[in-house]
Every structure is written in structure tokens, then in C-alpha cells.
Amino acid sequence: MADRHWGNQTAITEFILLGFRDLPELQILLFLLFLVIYMATVAGNTLMVVLVVADQHLHTPMYFFLGNLSCLEICYTSTILPRILASLLTGDRTISVSGCITQLYFFGVLVGTECYLLAVVSYDRYSAICKPLHYSALMNARFCLQLAAGSWFNGCLAITIVILLMSQFIFCGLNEIDHLYCDPIPLIKLSCGDTRLIMLLNFILSCEFTLPPFLLTLTSYVCIITTILRIPSTTGRHKAFSTCSSHLIVVTIFYGTLMSVSMLPTLDTLRVLKKVFSLCYTVLTPLVNPLIYSLRNREVREALSKALSQYVAFKKICRDS
């Protein structure tokens, strides 16, 4: 895959992630901001996973998928933010070639998996609202496990193909990546060899593994909204809209920014905008997911209240004994 005839140029062993190099006066402020976001993201998603596992009332298909989504968000944000925090704190923006490809692999797996999990959540809501009489039969335990496993498998498949091809590359010349993390397009462009085939393959796989879950999600919510509009009860319409509108916000932020980054041309004038959009689906979405998908739901609030009550009672018993 790589072009072995690259003259006297020396193969590079590390990259420089430029990140926020243009904002030296804001490094400490950005570090504190991202540290708070990281801690809040991990805490919120961990709380959701604990509640789903511990509370019997949350052992339903919807919360099973949301628990998977929360696990994914913890891994997702941990793939990106710790490296950004370290570079902001120490000023060291270097990352080894193997470290960069490893980060790209896990990042690609988790992005792809999130696309499918969001589609699965939307299908679950479609089944519950549009086919309530068949919901229990449709979303049985075996089918839920298959949907979750299929989401993780599809997330792994596309990026694994790209990484296997990229592992044969030799990188030489410039070693600067003008991004916050190891993104596939800037990384491929630093290769010494002919990259046309892998650029085309990356584009095809991105479309093949992103468009189907996006179209499924979009179709599900169109059907959901159509069904909600037919509900005669104003209270019922409001409750259904409240749940689905919040889900739709997350989906819009995630897919809107992800597709914008993929489709925007690689121009210097747009590089800052692409970094901002990248932060939306890598940092903002994992932060708001537990708030919008889970903690706004009555069942989750009741489970949280019950857990807090049990914790207070336990502390009281320990203090009195």
C-alpha cells in the first residue's frame, strides 16, 4: 500500500496534534473547561449504568440500550479527552504513530457503534409508540441482545478494514496534524504512498456504515411524529413529544456535526469550524446523552431517588451502630 520509493526522506515516528495551538492564552481555561466536562460526562454516564443494573424497574429494552449507550460514551470520551487534557496542561502535543493509529481505531469503533445504537434506540421508541400491542413480542430479550451486539460488531467492522490498510503505510515529511485528535483524513494525507484507494475506501465505508443507521433513525422519528399527531389526548401527545423531541435533539447534534465535518471541504478557512463541529459530537454528545435520554425520564428519577434514600439510610445505620 505504501510507496517504498520515497527517496531520502526519513520515516517519522511521531505526530504533532496542533489542537488549540492558536490559543496559547486560553490553555489553562480550556484545560479546566474540558476537565469539568470529562468528570461530568463520566459521572453522569456511570450513574446511568449503575441505575440500570441495580434497579429492577429499569430492566426494560429501552434502558438496556441506554445502558449500552452510556458505557459507550464513557469509553468514547476517554479516548479523546485525556489526551487533550494532557496536551493543554503540559504543552506536549506529540503522539507516537502507533499511539495515533490506536486512538483512531478506538475512536472509529465507538463512533460507528454510536451511530447504530442511536438507530436502535429510535427503533425501540418506534416499536413502543407505533406498535404498542406488539412491543413485548418484538423487543424480546434475545432480539435486544442481537441488536446491541450487532451495533458493536458493525462499529468495529468498517474501521478495522481501514486500519489494516493504514498499518502498511509509511509516514514521512510533515508530521503535523491540524486537529484535536487522530482523524483518518489528515492522517492518511501524511502518508508517503498513493492514498487515492484508501481515501475512496474510507469514503465508501463511512457512507455505508453511517447512512443506513441515519436513515433508519430518521424514518423511525418520522413515523413516531406521525403517530403522535394522531393521539387524541393532549396530555398523551405532550408526553410522547417530550420524550421523542429530546431524543431528536441528541440525534440532530450528533449526525449534523458528524456529517458536516465529513462533507466540509479541507480549506484553511474552515479548519476552526471543523474543530468546533468535532467537539460537538466527541465532547458535547457524551455529556448531554445521560441528561436528555435518561435523567429526564420519570423512571430514572424515581430509581435515583430510591438509591439516594437507601444510601442515606445505610449511612445512618452505620453512624448509629
Side-chain angles (χ1 to χ4, degrees):
M1 196 71 172
D3 185 1
R4 299 286 173 174
H5 305 287
W6 37 277
N8 295 324
Q9 298 187 74
T10 304
I12 59 177
T13 58
E14 62 182 22
F15 298 113
I16 299 174
L17 295 171
L18 298 184
F20 298 103
R21 188 182 64 173
D22 297 336
L23 302 170
E25 68 282 359
L26 297 178
Q27 300 294 297
I28 298 300
L29 180 61
L30 289 171
F31 171 78
L32 294 174
L33 175 63
F34 284 122
L35 180 62
V36 170
I37 289 174
Y38 181 55
M39 292 172 65
T41 300
V42 173
N45 284 287
T46 301
L47 176 62
M48 185 59 204
V49 173
V50 170
L51 288 176
V52 169
V53 172
D55 197 294
Q56 292 289 332
H57 295 95
L58 300 183
H59 290 183
T60 63
M62 182 178 77
Y63 291 110
F64 170 71
F65 296 131
L66 292 181
N68 269 267
L69 190 61
S70 290
C71 286
L72 181 143
E73 301 294 18
I74 294 169
C75 300
Y76 190 18
T77 195
S78 297
T79 302
I80 301 297
L81 277 181
R83 185 66 191 76
I84 294 177
L85 288 170
S87 65
L88 287 170
L89 185 63
T90 64
D92 181 13
R93 300 183 179 88
T94 60
I95 183 171
S96 66
V97 171
S98 59
C100 193
I101 292 178
T102 301
Q103 185 190 59
L104 173 60
Y105 174 75
F106 285 107
F107 170 73
V109 167
L110 296 168
V111 169
T113 303
E114 180 152 9
C115 289
Y116 280 90
L117 277 179
L118 289 175
V120 167
V121 171
S122 68
Y123 177 73
D124 174 75
R125 292 300 83 208
Y126 160 78
S127 302
I129 294 173
C130 302
K131 299 183 178 181
L133 298 179
H134 305 284
Y135 179 69
S136 298
L138 282 172
M139 305 302 292
N140 56 67
R142 182 179 178 182
F143 187 52
C144 290
L145 284 172
Q146 289 173 342
L147 287 174
S151 298
W152 287 94
F153 175 76
N154 281 314
C156 293
L157 188 58
I159 192 64
T160 299
I161 296 171
V162 174
I163 291 295
L164 286 175
L165 293 175
M166 195 178 293
S167 63
Q168 302 176 44
F169 281 175
I170 296 174
F171 299 95
C172 59
L174 291 175
N175 67 337
E176 293 183 344
I177 299 176
D178 192 9
H179 214 295
L180 303 169
Y181 50 85
C182 293
D183 195 54
I185 302 301
L187 190 58
I188 290 171
K189 288 183 177 179
L190 295 180
S191 170
C192 304
D194 185 357
T195 60
R196 287 174 295 180
L197 177 60
I198 195 170
M199 288 286 278
L200 178 61
L201 181 63
N202 182 69
F203 176 76
I204 292 172
L205 289 174
S206 297
C207 293
E208 185 177 344
F209 284 85
T210 303
L211 284 178
F214 170 69
L215 293 175
L216 176 60
T217 303
L218 186 63
T219 304
S220 297
Y221 280 112
V222 168
C223 294
I224 288 170
I225 292 172
T226 304
T227 302
I228 290 173
L229 292 174
R230 295 174 185 163
I231 298 176
S233 166
T234 305
T235 305
R237 272 202 309 270
H238 176 73
K239 182 180 178 181
F241 261 126
S242 176
T243 302
C244 293
S245 62
S246 60
H247 294 187
L248 203 53
I249 290 170
V250 174
V251 169
T252 303
I253 293 173
F254 180 77
Y255 279 111
T257 54
L258 179 61
M259 290 182 170
S260 297
V261 170
S262 302
M263 292 187 294
L264 282 175
T266 54
L267 301 174
D268 287 341
T269 53
L270 296 176
R271 62 189 180 86
V272 176
L273 185 61
K274 293 182 77 169
K275 287 182 184 180
V276 173
F277 282 165
S278 297
L279 286 175
C280 287
Y281 69 84
T282 58
V283 176
L284 181 61
T285 303
L287 175 65
V288 301
N289 267 350
L291 299 174
I292 289 181
Y293 271 105
S294 307
L295 298 179
R296 291 180 73 250
N297 295 351
R298 178 178 54 82
E299 295 92 342
V300 176
R301 291 199 300 270
E302 289 177 354
L304 180 58
S305 176
K306 179 181 175 182
L308 289 174
S309 299
Q310 291 176 343
Y311 176 74
V312 170
F314 175 75
K315 292 287 287 184
K316 185 178 179 182
I317 293 172
C318 291
R319 189 173 60 250
D320 293 342
S321 60

mmCIF file of all heavy atoms in Angstrom, residues 60-63 65 120-139 220 223-224 227-228 231 240 243-244 247 299:
data_model
loop_
_atom_site.group_PDB
_atom_site.id
_atom_site.type_symbol
_atom_site.label_atom_id
_atom_site.label_comp_id
_atom_site.label_asym_id
_atom_site.label_seq_id
_atom_site.Cartn_x
_atom_site.Cartn_y
_atom_site.Cartn_z
ATOM 1 N N THR A 60 -35.689 -2.950 31.186
ATOM 2 C CA THR A 60 -36.547 -2.930 30.010
ATOM 3 C C THR A 60 -35.668 -2.721 28.775
ATOM 4 O O THR A 60 -34.516 -2.289 28.900
ATOM 5 C CB THR A 60 -37.581 -1.796 30.105
ATOM 6 O OG1 THR A 60 -36.881 -0.537 30.129
ATOM 7 C CG2 THR A 60 -38.435 -1.926 31.362
ATOM 8 N N PRO A 61 -36.189 -3.023 27.578
ATOM 9 C CA PRO A 61 -35.362 -2.851 26.365
ATOM 10 C C PRO A 61 -34.788 -1.442 26.222
ATOM 11 O O PRO A 61 -33.605 -1.291 25.897
ATOM 12 C CB PRO A 61 -36.341 -3.175 25.235
ATOM 13 C CG PRO A 61 -37.310 -4.125 25.842
ATOM 14 C CD PRO A 61 -37.477 -3.675 27.261
ATOM 15 N N MET A 62 -35.603 -0.415 26.471
ATOM 16 C CA MET A 62 -35.119 0.945 26.274
ATOM 17 C C MET A 62 -33.921 1.248 27.166
ATOM 18 O O MET A 62 -32.891 1.774 26.703
ATOM 19 C CB MET A 62 -36.226 1.968 26.554
ATOM 20 C CG MET A 62 -35.774 3.407 26.320
ATOM 21 S SD MET A 62 -37.051 4.639 26.593
ATOM 22 C CE MET A 62 -37.102 4.721 28.375
ATOM 23 N N TYR A 63 -34.018 0.895 28.444
ATOM 24 C CA TYR A 63 -32.922 1.194 29.372
ATOM 25 C C TYR A 63 -31.734 0.254 29.175
ATOM 26 O O TYR A 63 -30.599 0.611 29.500
ATOM 27 C CB TYR A 63 -33.430 1.169 30.810
ATOM 28 C CG TYR A 63 -34.359 2.317 31.092
ATOM 29 C CD1 TYR A 63 -35.719 2.119 31.285
ATOM 30 C CD2 TYR A 63 -33.875 3.623 31.118
ATOM 31 C CE1 TYR A 63 -36.565 3.182 31.511
ATOM 32 C CE2 TYR A 63 -34.716 4.692 31.344
ATOM 33 C CZ TYR A 63 -36.060 4.470 31.536
ATOM 34 O OH TYR A 63 -36.890 5.527 31.739
ATOM 35 N N PHE A 65 -30.673 -0.569 26.165
ATOM 36 C CA PHE A 65 -29.946 0.116 25.098
ATOM 37 C C PHE A 65 -29.295 1.404 25.607
ATOM 38 O O PHE A 65 -28.174 1.739 25.215
ATOM 39 C CB PHE A 65 -30.887 0.428 23.935
ATOM 40 C CG PHE A 65 -31.436 -0.790 23.249
ATOM 41 C CD1 PHE A 65 -32.787 -0.911 22.988
ATOM 42 C CD2 PHE A 65 -30.598 -1.831 22.875
ATOM 43 C CE1 PHE A 65 -33.297 -2.026 22.358
ATOM 44 C CE2 PHE A 65 -31.092 -2.956 22.242
ATOM 45 C CZ PHE A 65 -32.451 -3.058 21.993
ATOM 46 N N VAL A 120 -30.865 2.049 16.981
ATOM 47 C CA VAL A 120 -31.574 1.018 17.753
ATOM 48 C C VAL A 120 -32.518 1.654 18.765
ATOM 49 O O VAL A 120 -33.660 1.203 18.941
ATOM 50 C CB VAL A 120 -30.560 0.092 18.454
ATOM 51 C CG1 VAL A 120 -31.244 -0.770 19.503
ATOM 52 C CG2 VAL A 120 -29.849 -0.793 17.434
ATOM 53 N N VAL A 121 -32.061 2.714 19.448
ATOM 54 C CA VAL A 121 -32.920 3.422 20.411
ATOM 55 C C VAL A 121 -34.141 4.003 19.696
ATOM 56 O O VAL A 121 -35.267 3.935 20.200
ATOM 57 C CB VAL A 121 -32.136 4.530 21.139
ATOM 58 C CG1 VAL A 121 -33.069 5.400 21.969
ATOM 59 C CG2 VAL A 121 -31.059 3.916 22.034
ATOM 60 N N SER A 122 -33.925 4.581 18.517
ATOM 61 C CA SER A 122 -35.048 5.160 17.767
ATOM 62 C C SER A 122 -36.025 4.065 17.325
ATOM 63 O O SER A 122 -37.239 4.256 17.353
ATOM 64 C CB SER A 122 -34.544 5.941 16.555
ATOM 65 O OG SER A 122 -33.985 5.078 15.584
ATOM 66 N N TYR A 123 -35.492 2.890 16.938
ATOM 67 C CA TYR A 123 -36.365 1.783 16.551
ATOM 68 C C TYR A 123 -37.155 1.275 17.748
ATOM 69 O O TYR A 123 -38.341 0.927 17.625
ATOM 70 C CB TYR A 123 -35.539 0.646 15.948
ATOM 71 C CG TYR A 123 -36.360 -0.568 15.591
ATOM 72 C CD1 TYR A 123 -37.206 -0.557 14.488
ATOM 73 C CD2 TYR A 123 -36.324 -1.712 16.388
ATOM 74 C CE1 TYR A 123 -37.984 -1.659 14.172
ATOM 75 C CE2 TYR A 123 -37.094 -2.825 16.076
ATOM 76 C CZ TYR A 123 -37.922 -2.792 14.966
ATOM 77 O OH TYR A 123 -38.701 -3.883 14.666
ATOM 78 N N ASP A 124 -36.513 1.237 18.905
ATOM 79 C CA ASP A 124 -37.206 0.822 20.129
ATOM 80 C C ASP A 124 -38.361 1.761 20.433
ATOM 81 O O ASP A 124 -39.464 1.324 20.776
ATOM 82 C CB ASP A 124 -36.221 0.798 21.294
ATOM 83 C CG ASP A 124 -36.902 0.507 22.617
ATOM 84 O OD1 ASP A 124 -37.268 -0.666 22.849
ATOM 85 O OD2 ASP A 124 -37.072 1.443 23.416
ATOM 86 N N ARG A 125 -38.136 3.074 20.309
ATOM 87 C CA ARG A 125 -39.204 4.051 20.552
ATOM 88 C C ARG A 125 -40.298 3.941 19.495
ATOM 89 O O ARG A 125 -41.479 4.106 19.794
ATOM 90 C CB ARG A 125 -38.628 5.476 20.572
ATOM 91 C CG ARG A 125 -37.718 5.791 21.741
ATOM 92 C CD ARG A 125 -38.443 5.642 23.084
ATOM 93 N NE ARG A 125 -38.468 4.261 23.553
ATOM 94 C CZ ARG A 125 -39.404 3.746 24.331
ATOM 95 N NH1 ARG A 125 -40.399 4.499 24.742
ATOM 96 N NH2 ARG A 125 -39.363 2.499 24.722
ATOM 97 N N TYR A 126 -39.888 3.663 18.253
ATOM 98 C CA TYR A 126 -40.876 3.456 17.182
ATOM 99 C C TYR A 126 -41.779 2.270 17.508
ATOM 100 O O TYR A 126 -43.006 2.343 17.368
ATOM 101 C CB TYR A 126 -40.153 3.228 15.851
ATOM 102 C CG TYR A 126 -40.990 2.547 14.805
ATOM 103 C CD1 TYR A 126 -41.954 3.266 14.085
ATOM 104 C CD2 TYR A 126 -40.835 1.185 14.542
ATOM 105 C CE1 TYR A 126 -42.739 2.625 13.120
ATOM 106 C CE2 TYR A 126 -41.612 0.545 13.585
ATOM 107 C CZ TYR A 126 -42.561 1.269 12.880
ATOM 108 O OH TYR A 126 -43.343 0.639 11.934
ATOM 109 N N SER A 127 -41.170 1.166 17.946
ATOM 110 C CA SER A 127 -41.945 -0.028 18.287
ATOM 111 C C SER A 127 -42.893 0.239 19.454
ATOM 112 O O SER A 127 -44.041 -0.208 19.463
ATOM 113 C CB SER A 127 -41.008 -1.190 18.633
ATOM 114 O OG SER A 127 -40.148 -1.478 17.558
ATOM 115 N N ALA A 128 -42.416 0.988 20.474
ATOM 116 C CA ALA A 128 -43.231 1.257 21.657
ATOM 117 C C ALA A 128 -44.402 2.183 21.347
ATOM 118 O O ALA A 128 -45.499 2.008 21.895
ATOM 119 C CB ALA A 128 -42.361 1.876 22.752
ATOM 120 N N ILE A 129 -44.198 3.166 20.473
ATOM 121 C CA ILE A 129 -45.236 4.172 20.207
ATOM 122 C C ILE A 129 -46.133 3.778 19.038
ATOM 123 O O ILE A 129 -47.357 3.936 19.096
ATOM 124 C CB ILE A 129 -44.588 5.551 19.941
ATOM 125 C CG1 ILE A 129 -43.908 6.050 21.217
ATOM 126 C CG2 ILE A 129 -45.617 6.573 19.457
ATOM 127 C CD1 ILE A 129 -43.092 7.305 21.046
ATOM 128 N N CYS A 130 -45.530 3.237 17.979
ATOM 129 C CA CYS A 130 -46.302 2.925 16.776
ATOM 130 C C CYS A 130 -46.906 1.522 16.794
ATOM 131 O O CYS A 130 -47.902 1.267 16.112
ATOM 132 C CB CYS A 130 -45.431 3.092 15.534
ATOM 133 S SG CYS A 130 -44.741 4.752 15.340
ATOM 134 N N LYS A 131 -46.305 0.601 17.541
ATOM 135 C CA LYS A 131 -46.810 -0.773 17.616
ATOM 136 C C LYS A 131 -46.850 -1.244 19.069
ATOM 137 O O LYS A 131 -46.214 -2.233 19.430
ATOM 138 C CB LYS A 131 -45.929 -1.712 16.784
ATOM 139 C CG LYS A 131 -45.889 -1.354 15.303
ATOM 140 C CD LYS A 131 -45.063 -2.352 14.519
ATOM 141 C CE LYS A 131 -45.074 -2.031 13.041
ATOM 142 N NZ LYS A 131 -44.292 -3.013 12.237
ATOM 143 N N PRO A 132 -47.604 -0.543 19.917
ATOM 144 C CA PRO A 132 -47.584 -0.860 21.355
ATOM 145 C C PRO A 132 -48.086 -2.265 21.681
ATOM 146 O O PRO A 132 -47.600 -2.884 22.633
ATOM 147 C CB PRO A 132 -48.499 0.208 21.961
ATOM 148 C CG PRO A 132 -49.366 0.666 20.832
ATOM 149 C CD PRO A 132 -48.520 0.565 19.603
ATOM 150 N N LEU A 133 -49.044 -2.789 20.898
ATOM 151 C CA LEU A 133 -49.598 -4.113 21.183
ATOM 152 C C LEU A 133 -48.609 -5.232 20.855
ATOM 153 O O LEU A 133 -48.696 -6.326 21.418
ATOM 154 C CB LEU A 133 -50.893 -4.318 20.385
ATOM 155 C CG LEU A 133 -52.034 -3.345 20.713
ATOM 156 C CD1 LEU A 133 -53.250 -3.637 19.834
ATOM 157 C CD2 LEU A 133 -52.414 -3.428 22.188
ATOM 158 N N HIS A 134 -47.670 -4.956 19.958
ATOM 159 C CA HIS A 134 -46.695 -5.970 19.559
ATOM 160 C C HIS A 134 -45.324 -5.717 20.170
ATOM 161 O O HIS A 134 -44.380 -6.458 19.876
ATOM 162 C CB HIS A 134 -46.565 -5.994 18.030
ATOM 163 C CG HIS A 134 -47.853 -6.203 17.305
ATOM 164 N ND1 HIS A 134 -48.470 -7.435 17.209
ATOM 165 C CD2 HIS A 134 -48.661 -5.335 16.645
ATOM 166 C CE1 HIS A 134 -49.585 -7.326 16.521
ATOM 167 N NE2 HIS A 134 -49.738 -6.061 16.165
ATOM 168 N N TYR A 135 -45.216 -4.682 21.016
ATOM 169 C CA TYR A 135 -43.902 -4.261 21.510
ATOM 170 C C TYR A 135 -43.188 -5.367 22.289
ATOM 171 O O TYR A 135 -42.013 -5.650 22.048
ATOM 172 C CB TYR A 135 -44.055 -3.016 22.397
ATOM 173 C CG TYR A 135 -42.751 -2.521 22.971
ATOM 174 C CD1 TYR A 135 -41.789 -1.950 22.151
ATOM 175 C CD2 TYR A 135 -42.477 -2.635 24.331
ATOM 176 C CE1 TYR A 135 -40.580 -1.492 22.662
ATOM 177 C CE2 TYR A 135 -41.277 -2.180 24.860
ATOM 178 C CZ TYR A 135 -40.334 -1.613 24.020
ATOM 179 O OH TYR A 135 -39.149 -1.173 24.541
ATOM 180 N N SER A 136 -43.897 -5.986 23.208
ATOM 181 C CA SER A 136 -43.272 -7.025 24.043
ATOM 182 C C SER A 136 -42.777 -8.196 23.206
ATOM 183 O O SER A 136 -41.710 -8.775 23.481
ATOM 184 C CB SER A 136 -44.258 -7.526 25.104
ATOM 185 O OG SER A 136 -44.623 -6.477 25.970
ATOM 186 N N ALA A 137 -43.547 -8.562 22.193
ATOM 187 C CA ALA A 137 -43.147 -9.674 21.342
ATOM 188 C C ALA A 137 -41.975 -9.283 20.437
ATOM 189 O O ALA A 137 -41.053 -10.079 20.210
ATOM 190 C CB ALA A 137 -44.328 -10.134 20.491
ATOM 191 N N LEU A 138 -42.007 -8.044 19.927
ATOM 192 C CA LEU A 138 -40.944 -7.583 19.037
ATOM 193 C C LEU A 138 -39.614 -7.445 19.776
ATOM 194 O O LEU A 138 -38.587 -7.964 19.340
ATOM 195 C CB LEU A 138 -41.319 -6.236 18.412
ATOM 196 C CG LEU A 138 -42.315 -6.245 17.252
ATOM 197 C CD1 LEU A 138 -42.707 -4.813 16.887
ATOM 198 C CD2 LEU A 138 -41.716 -6.939 16.030
ATOM 199 N N MET A 139 -39.646 -6.719 20.892
ATOM 200 C CA MET A 139 -38.413 -6.397 21.611
ATOM 201 C C MET A 139 -38.186 -7.382 22.758
ATOM 202 O O MET A 139 -38.098 -7.009 23.928
ATOM 203 C CB MET A 139 -38.470 -4.959 22.140
ATOM 204 C CG MET A 139 -38.741 -3.912 21.063
ATOM 205 S SD MET A 139 -37.517 -3.928 19.728
ATOM 206 C CE MET A 139 -36.085 -3.335 20.600
ATOM 207 N N SER A 220 -37.670 6.298 11.567
ATOM 208 C CA SER A 220 -38.347 5.956 12.823
ATOM 209 C C SER A 220 -39.013 7.178 13.438
ATOM 210 O O SER A 220 -40.182 7.125 13.856
ATOM 211 C CB SER A 220 -37.347 5.352 13.820
ATOM 212 O OG SER A 220 -36.811 4.146 13.342
ATOM 213 N N CYS A 223 -42.106 8.361 11.498
ATOM 214 C CA CYS A 223 -43.257 7.503 11.845
ATOM 215 C C CYS A 223 -43.767 7.816 13.248
ATOM 216 O O CYS A 223 -44.987 7.835 13.490
ATOM 217 C CB CYS A 223 -42.869 6.027 11.745
ATOM 218 S SG CYS A 223 -42.474 5.472 10.081
ATOM 219 N N ILE A 224 -42.841 8.056 14.181
ATOM 220 C CA ILE A 224 -43.225 8.374 15.562
ATOM 221 C C ILE A 224 -44.019 9.668 15.615
ATOM 222 O O ILE A 224 -45.089 9.742 16.249
ATOM 223 C CB ILE A 224 -41.972 8.463 16.457
ATOM 224 C CG1 ILE A 224 -41.380 7.081 16.698
ATOM 225 C CG2 ILE A 224 -42.322 9.124 17.798
ATOM 226 C CD1 ILE A 224 -40.017 7.105 17.354
ATOM 227 N N THR A 227 -47.476 9.251 14.202
ATOM 228 C CA THR A 227 -48.349 8.536 15.146
ATOM 229 C C THR A 227 -48.769 9.438 16.297
ATOM 230 O O THR A 227 -49.930 9.416 16.730
ATOM 231 C CB THR A 227 -47.625 7.287 15.691
ATOM 232 O OG1 THR A 227 -47.244 6.447 14.605
ATOM 233 C CG2 THR A 227 -48.522 6.511 16.646
ATOM 234 N N ILE A 228 -47.835 10.242 16.805
ATOM 235 C CA ILE A 228 -48.135 11.130 17.936
ATOM 236 C C ILE A 228 -49.217 12.137 17.562
ATOM 237 O O ILE A 228 -50.113 12.447 18.366
ATOM 238 C CB ILE A 228 -46.853 11.848 18.401
ATOM 239 C CG1 ILE A 228 -45.905 10.861 19.082
ATOM 240 C CG2 ILE A 228 -47.185 12.987 19.370
ATOM 241 C CD1 ILE A 228 -44.550 11.453 19.424
ATOM 242 N N ILE A 231 -52.723 11.020 18.180
ATOM 243 C CA ILE A 231 -53.186 10.759 19.541
ATOM 244 C C ILE A 231 -54.237 11.800 19.920
ATOM 245 O O ILE A 231 -53.981 13.009 19.860
ATOM 246 C CB ILE A 231 -52.013 10.795 20.544
ATOM 247 C CG1 ILE A 231 -50.997 9.706 20.215
ATOM 248 C CG2 ILE A 231 -52.524 10.632 21.974
ATOM 249 C CD1 ILE A 231 -49.761 9.726 21.086
ATOM 250 N N ALA A 240 -45.535 12.133 24.816
ATOM 251 C CA ALA A 240 -44.784 11.451 23.761
ATOM 252 C C ALA A 240 -43.829 12.406 23.064
ATOM 253 O O ALA A 240 -42.679 12.066 22.779
ATOM 254 C CB ALA A 240 -45.756 10.835 22.748
ATOM 255 N N THR A 243 -40.656 13.203 25.214
ATOM 256 C CA THR A 243 -39.621 12.167 25.179
ATOM 257 C C THR A 243 -38.885 12.153 23.843
ATOM 258 O O THR A 243 -37.649 12.182 23.790
ATOM 259 C CB THR A 243 -40.252 10.782 25.432
ATOM 260 O OG1 THR A 243 -40.909 10.799 26.699
ATOM 261 C CG2 THR A 243 -39.204 9.696 25.429
ATOM 262 N N CYS A 244 -39.654 12.143 22.763
ATOM 263 C CA CYS A 244 -39.037 11.986 21.438
ATOM 264 C C CYS A 244 -38.311 13.242 20.972
ATOM 265 O O CYS A 244 -37.314 13.145 20.256
ATOM 266 C CB CYS A 244 -40.114 11.607 20.419
ATOM 267 S SG CYS A 244 -40.802 9.976 20.733
ATOM 268 N N HIS A 247 -34.836 13.146 22.398
ATOM 269 C CA HIS A 247 -34.015 12.187 21.665
ATOM 270 C C HIS A 247 -33.585 12.779 20.324
ATOM 271 O O HIS A 247 -32.440 12.618 19.896
ATOM 272 C CB HIS A 247 -34.799 10.899 21.417
ATOM 273 C CG HIS A 247 -35.110 10.147 22.674
ATOM 274 N ND1 HIS A 247 -35.694 8.896 22.656
ATOM 275 C CD2 HIS A 247 -34.929 10.453 23.972
ATOM 276 C CE1 HIS A 247 -35.860 8.468 23.906
ATOM 277 N NE2 HIS A 247 -35.403 9.407 24.717
ATOM 278 N N GLU A 299 -38.952 7.304 35.332
ATOM 279 C CA GLU A 299 -38.480 6.053 35.922
ATOM 280 C C GLU A 299 -37.056 6.188 36.457
ATOM 281 O O GLU A 299 -36.722 5.655 37.521
ATOM 282 C CB GLU A 299 -38.530 4.922 34.887
ATOM 283 C CG GLU A 299 -39.934 4.565 34.412
ATOM 284 C CD GLU A 299 -40.321 5.352 33.181
ATOM 285 O OE1 GLU A 299 -39.664 6.387 32.912
ATOM 286 O OE2 GLU A 299 -41.282 4.949 32.493
#
